[in-house]
Amino acid sequence: MAEIKIPLKDCIIPMYYDVLDDIFKHKHTHYVFPGGRGSTKSSFVGGISIPLLIMQNPKIHAICFRKVGNTIQNSIYSQVVWGLYQLGIESLFTIPKTYSTPITYNPTGQKIFFMGLDDPDKVKSVKPPFGYIGVTWFEELDQFAGEAERRKVTQSTMPGGDLFWDFRTFNPPISKNNWANEYTYDCEVKRTDSTLVVRNTYFDVPRHWLGEQFIEEAEELKEINPRAYQHEYMGEAIGTGGDVFQ
């Protein structure tokens, strides 16, 4: 890995320090981040963890997924680009104007690809110039069709290597019966050696990172609609899935 000094205090919240160490040491394969608004989970995964993993492992490439392709430019692509500048390593990467061309780590030629899964079979067409796809990121996990769809993707990307990191980030849907909520709950209960679930809220984030307007909006919603606040900001699945009206 290139010798850089990571400005941790400027990039990630303190509770993610140990998580980043866990990722670097490959203590788990699957990392699941359910969290409310402002939890910084997506910037931590896409902006910080993925670029640093690329630099640390010269044989791997990464693919970042959204369910719908036209949401990529202003979400996962922007998160990765933000991270490169935040870390001060942007000069080491070729950053195209749009996500349709992968970001390239110049010293090795490693790629960070971006893809919509409107058609899951498209992932088979991704061919890195060497090595293998060692990192996958599913942003807004609940928008995918289910665990079978995600598994079909990783079954296509994983062959060819030894070390893999699979990231999943999402704001928990309101229904406890949503597949992403049920999958996360099962992971927490079973506590498998391969999966780490990380939950946090905007309370874990320095206030000045979020801005006063964000805090005011959250506190106002807490006063006028506590149930919506628990779902949107605290990341809690508060519905049973069977309710039609409250």
Side-chain angles (χ1 to χ4, degrees):
M1 180 176 177
E3 290 294 329
I4 62 170
K5 184 176 181 179
I6 304 172
L8 282 179
K9 292 183 179 180
D10 298 326
C11 296
I12 64 175
I13 59 178
M15 72 162 293
Y16 284 161
Y17 293 172
D18 289 341
V19 180
L20 187 62
D21 183 68
D22 188 295
I23 292 169
F24 283 164
K25 293 178 179 177
H26 197 261
K27 292 183 177 180
H28 298 84
T29 298
H30 307 288
Y31 292 86
V32 184
F33 292 81
R37 292 180 182 176
S39 62
T40 72
K41 57 190 179 298
S42 297
S43 58
F44 170 68
V45 169
I48 307 301
S49 301
I50 290 177
L52 293 179
L53 281 174
I54 290 292
M55 297 175 70
Q56 192 178 47
N57 299 273
K59 293 183 179 181
I60 70 170
H61 307 265
I63 304 185
C64 307
F65 295 105
R66 283 292 303 265
K67 177 62 178 178
V68 180
N70 63 15
T71 62
I72 291 175
Q73 186 73 24
N74 294 321
S75 59
I76 54 177
Y77 175 81
S78 296
Q79 290 284 8
V80 174
V81 173
W82 168 87
L84 298 179
Y85 281 90
Q86 193 73 10
L87 289 167
I89 57 175
E90 71 279 3
S91 63
L92 298 176
F93 288 79
T94 296
I95 305 173
K97 293 182 178 180
T98 66
Y99 74 89
S100 57
T101 300
I103 292 174
T104 301
Y105 180 46
N106 297 327
T108 61
Q110 291 164 270
K111 308 291 184 182
I112 302 175
F113 298 92
F114 301 88
M115 178 172 291
L117 281 185
D118 314 68
D119 178 4
D121 289 329
K122 291 192 299 185
V123 71
K124 297 177 182 178
S125 65
V126 177
K127 302 296 181 184
F130 60 89
Y132 64 100
I133 302 296
V135 178
T136 51
W137 175 27
F138 296 85
E139 167 72 319
E140 303 296 355
L141 178 69
D142 58 298
Q143 294 180 0
F144 295 89
E147 178 62 9
E149 180 182 48
R150 186 217 56 80
R151 189 167 57 248
K152 181 178 180 181
V153 171
T154 53
Q155 286 169 348
S156 296
T157 59
M158 282 187 169
D162 298 318
L163 295 177
F164 298 91
W165 291 263
D166 173 42
F167 297 102
R168 312 170 194 191
T169 54
F170 68 107
N171 294 343
I174 194 168
S175 172
K176 295 178 181 179
N177 296 335
N178 178 275
W179 78 268
N181 286 334
E182 290 184 338
Y183 165 79
T184 303
Y185 176 76
D186 286 345
C187 289
E188 290 177 309
V189 171
K190 296 175 182 177
R191 297 185 181 276
T192 64
D193 293 337
S194 66
T195 304
L196 177 67
V197 177
V198 182
R199 291 184 183 271
N200 72 290
T201 71
Y202 74 95
F203 284 111
D204 301 302
V205 181
R207 192 180 183 101
H208 67 276
W209 284 21
L210 299 171
E212 290 304 313
Q213 187 62 48
F214 180 94
I215 304 297
E216 289 175 10
E217 292 286 334
E219 293 303 313
E220 181 178 3
L221 185 62
K222 184 178 181 178
E223 290 295 323
I224 64 175
N225 192 337
R227 191 169 185 271
Y229 170 82
Q230 289 298 119
H231 172 231
E232 296 176 19
Y233 287 94
M234 303 308 291
E236 297 180 10
I238 56 177
T240 63
D243 302 358
V244 177
F245 297 107
Q246 289 299 315

